[in-house]
Amino acid sequence: MSTPPPRLSPTELAAYFAFTEVSSLLRHAVEKQLRDVGKLSYVQFQLLARLGDAPDGSQRMTDLADGVVYSRSGLTYQAQSLEERGLVTRGPSPEDERSTIVAITDEGRDVLAKVFPGHIEAVKTHLFESLSAGDVEMLARVMGQVSGHLRAEPPRSAGGRRRKSN
Amino acid sequence: MSTPPPRLSPTELAAYFAFTEVSSLLRHAVEKQLRDVGKLSYVQFQLLARLGDAPDGSQRMTDLADGVVYSRSGLTYQAQSLEERGLVTRGPSPEDERSTIVAITDEGRDVLAKVFPGHIEAVKTHLFESLSAGDVEMLARVMGQVSGHLRAEPPRSAGGRRRKSN
DNA sequence: TATTGTTATACTCTATAACTATA
DNA sequence: TATAGTTATAGAGTATAACAATA
């Protein structure tokens, strides 16, 4: 009558629990470091990092929102906050008057630079410290496979179908 | 003069990015499923799951807070919310009048049961679907190693030293 | 009409500090 | 005094819906 309950093997269960624990501890550590050193939330750091990586240090609001998976109003909120701190500027696009272009400032790059060493340190400590080179390679391969798979098929289970309808 | 900047190898960088992406997508999917099917936040699910696992389905507030790494006021807030929904009860401990014992109700177990299949489904879809049995074993081993290492040494970098002073 | 972005608003979550009561 | 828990409060973050401006 009903579908059989889905199951996880003991190994899968162990992998899931350990994975969850590690990612949670890593995330907490990274968030604390960003807050303490740069007064940045994780989302704000992601936004700055994206802008820092962009060729001219700027992006449209919509493209930023898509990258971070975020509601547009949520992005407006964060962009305002970053602008008030002088870490980004916002201005209209020359090409499309509807668009707002967000650009990282020198101050923004300074904060990014200030935060970076500790960020890497936290990742080393909470993820790589106890792993061999082979382990790291393995991890890169397996995680790369999963993320590639997830990108390939927007998982249709557990919810709706669209990627980010907003 | 200054310490050299810490670095990540290309492989480490790849592993870190992929790991972060997977854990973020998995977390989002799980949270959405819990919300849609059981109207539970992730923290609430963790609390219920812990109570469900406890021998007599109950725990002291403090022990619960320790397990989930949470401020006590935050736990009070969530426990009240769960109590209002009839998923847990709260009462004084017979042994220590200061303590509050939280116990899962039959309704709480029902919600847990209702939410569980989809939870497992989400984990399968977002983590294991594209992995071989060997990959899963590898992942379990490596993640187990990292989490074991993190438990062994409360990482002293990037912050204070106490585990959870509250 | 469709798209870009902002605003108004409401809600959830979290933490800090002050407080009560037991030990 | 120290511990367990609650309350008051304040702040960050998020989302939805309504809106204005431009394409």
Side-chain angles (χ1 to χ4, degrees), chain B residues 7 32-33 37 42 56 74 83 86 96 112 116 118 129 142 146-147 149 164:
Chain B
R7 305 214 43 188
K32 175 167 175 45
Q33 190 267 333
V37 176
Y42 189 70
D56 54 350
E83 189 178 36
D96 186 338
L112 221 39
F116 228 60
E129 197 166 71
V142 170
V146 176
S147 83
H149 178 72
K164 174 177 172 301

Side-chain angles (χ1 to χ4, degrees), chain A residues 7 21 124 130 138 145, chain B residues 7 124 130 138 145 151:
Chain A
R7 306 214 44 187
E21 182 175 7
K124 281 179 117 67
S130 69
M138 205 281 325
Q145 172 148 336
Chain B
R7 305 214 43 188
K124 281 181 117 67
S130 67
M138 206 283 321
Q145 173 148 336
R151 290 184 199 212

Side-chain angles (χ1 to χ4, degrees), chain A residues 92-130:
Chain A
S93 164
E95 303 157 8
D96 185 338
E97 289 283 331
R98 294 172 303 181
S99 295
T100 296
I101 300 273
V102 189
I104 191 170
T105 63
D106 289 345
E107 273 195 57
R109 290 194 192 274
D110 287 349
V111 171
L112 221 39
K114 194 172 70 177
V115 129
F116 228 61
H119 184 85
I120 290 174
E121 207 57 73
V123 173
K124 281 179 117 67
T125 303
H126 289 81
L127 189 56
F128 296 127
E129 197 166 73
S130 69

